Structures are given as structure tokens and as C-alpha cells.
Amino acid sequence: MAFTALLIDADPQRVRALGEVLVSLGAVGPVEVVRSRAAAVQRLMHDGPVPDVVVMALVLPDGRMTDLDLPWERWPILVHVAPGEEAMAAQAMRRGVSDYFIVDPAAGYLHAFPEQVRAVMAKADNLRQLQSTVQRLDLVLGAVDLGLWDRDLR
């Protein structure tokens, strides 16, 4: 399955390793990479199509990504943190990030990373299907002459 990926990270070794895994999973290569918060905001909010998956460092040289007031739930995002930063990852998830993984110095995270990418993309696909179903149901219910009390099922 071909997909587009955006990698937001300033570490060249990690970018190379994660990029290789993403391409092996079917990412249309080369994987797009941005290395700063400013470039990430520009890319996410203004430049180009929405990527199918975003892999993002929580902390970049110019600050923490989730300190920015962005609609994080708009993109399927896997954020990575260092060991001991799980609380920051949980906070990022409360703000709308899809999931997280811990980048350990021995690069063991690369073993679980492919499955996490698949899971985040499947969750995003399920959400899109659900939203499409809700839109179709709204159209059907809109065409039927029901009272307001019968139609408001949410």
C-alpha cells in the first residue's frame, strides 16, 4: 500500500533510520523531511497535501512541537520521545496526537515502529470511513420528514 509520509525531526541518523522503515512499508519515497518547528508549521498548515502519516519528534532545536496551537487531530501523528518523557507524550496525545513511541539509544524502537505506523494509519482510515458514514446518514435523514426530536440522535 503506497502512502505519503512527513518526518519532522532534526536528528540526521534518526531521520535516515525512520525514513528507511517508512519506505519499506510503502511510503512514496523519498520521505519528506522538515527539521524545525517553523518549517513543520509551514508544511502542515500551508504547503502541499495532507500526508497520510506524520512521524514527529516532540522536541526540536527550536522548541516543543505541542506548544504550538495547531489542530493536531487533523493528521495521523506518531510522536517520539526520549525515555522518561512519557508524561509529555501523554500530554501530546491529549492535544490530539495519535500515538507515541520511545526512542531508546539502542534503536530497539525500530522493531515496533512498523506496526505502530500501520496502526495509526488504520485508525485514521477507520475515522475517515466513520465520518463518511455520518455524512451519508445526515443526507438520508435530511431527506426524510422527521421531527427535530426524532432526528437529533447524537
Side-chain angles (χ1 to χ4, degrees):
M1 160 184 72
F3 62 93
T4 58
L6 173 63
L7 187 50
I8 303 170
D9 200 326
D11 182 270
Q13 291 177 324
R14 196 169 41 237
V15 164
R16 188 182 79 256
L18 292 173
E20 288 173 1
V21 173
L22 289 167
V23 169
S24 76
L25 291 172
V28 178
V31 172
E32 185 178 1
V33 177
V34 294
R35 300 181 188 279
S36 69
R37 279 185 357 155
V41 169
Q42 181 65 30
R43 170 56 183 88
L44 289 170
M45 298 302 293
H46 305 293
D47 294 343
V50 174
D52 294 315
V53 67
V54 177
V55 179
M56 175 177 82
L58 182 60
V59 179
L60 293 169
D62 54 345
R64 191 180 330 177
M65 287 297 296
T66 54
D67 286 345
L68 299 170
D69 189 24
L70 295 176
W72 295 110
E73 66 281 347
R74 182 175 167 196
W75 308 281
I77 298 177
L78 252 174
V79 66
H80 65 76
V81 296
E85 295 179 340
E86 292 85 355
M88 290 191 328
Q91 180 185 28
M93 290 179 68
R94 283 192 295 275
R95 300 219 40 215
V97 169
S98 305
D99 203 353
Y100 77 97
F101 62 99
I102 300 168
V103 176
D104 60 291
Y109 64 93
L110 292 173
H111 298 292
F113 179 66
E115 191 53 42
Q116 288 179 292
V117 170
R118 288 185 196 102
V120 165
M121 289 177 51
K123 181 179 173 182
D125 187 49
N126 288 340
L127 182 59
R128 278 190 294 276
Q129 289 177 13
L130 182 60
Q131 289 169 336
S132 174
T133 300
V134 167
Q135 289 173 347
R136 288 194 308 265
L137 286 173
D138 280 346
L139 286 173
V140 169
L141 290 174
V144 177
D145 188 24
L146 295 175
L148 181 59
W149 56 89
D150 292 332
R151 186 169 186 266
D152 189 12
L153 301 175
R154 294 179 208 182

